[in-house]
Amino acid sequence: MLFHTMVGSNDIERSKRFYDTVLGTLGAGEGTRNIADSGHTRLIYNNGSGTNFIVSQPINDEPASIANGSTVAFSCDSPEQVKQLHDTAVAAGGTSIEAPPGPRETASMGTIELAYFRDPDGNKLCGIHFPA
């Protein structure tokens, strides 16, 4: 259903270092640079199935800001990968937020593994694993 998810960045080089490292834990390759018609730089990460994650300089030339209530969740293959994604993000300059990585009991989905963190620009990200 989704083609891409995009977050803004005030420092595209810092974002490239962060996301190349963090998304590498999920098997994503290095971000591809794309220069928009406006001249602004975007980084495109593709998971091989047609879904893209994009980091962009805002094309309105205003500072990038975080969206209140928004979270970008990355699907992980295992509970261990959830923790690895989180720990890699923190080591690469991100910030751990909310509860520590681990299982969460939900009424509708049973036990799921979650880890929440923010990128260096403050965008809220999550690693998530649903048991089979």
Side-chain angles (χ1 to χ4, degrees), residues 37-100:
D37 291 342
S38 63
H40 297 85
T41 301
R42 294 180 174 155
L43 305 172
I44 301 173
Y45 296 86
N46 186 289
N47 71 354
S49 68
T51 302
N52 297 287
F53 179 73
I54 303 171
V55 182
S56 180
Q57 296 172 317
I59 63 170
N60 65 0
D61 291 323
E62 295 292 322
S65 61
I66 57 174
N68 189 26
S70 296
T71 302
V72 176
F74 295 101
S75 182
C76 296
D77 294 331
S78 67
E80 296 78 19
Q81 193 178 41
V82 169
K83 177 132 177 45
Q84 180 187 17
L85 182 71
H86 169 272
D87 294 350
T88 300
V90 171
T95 305
S96 183
I97 58 172
E98 300 183 16

Side-chain angles (χ1 to χ4, degrees), residues 7-18:
V7 297
S9 174
N10 291 308
D11 185 336
I12 206 76
E13 295 307 319
R14 177 186 66 195
S15 290
K16 183 160 184 0
R17 289 188 303 273
F18 178 82

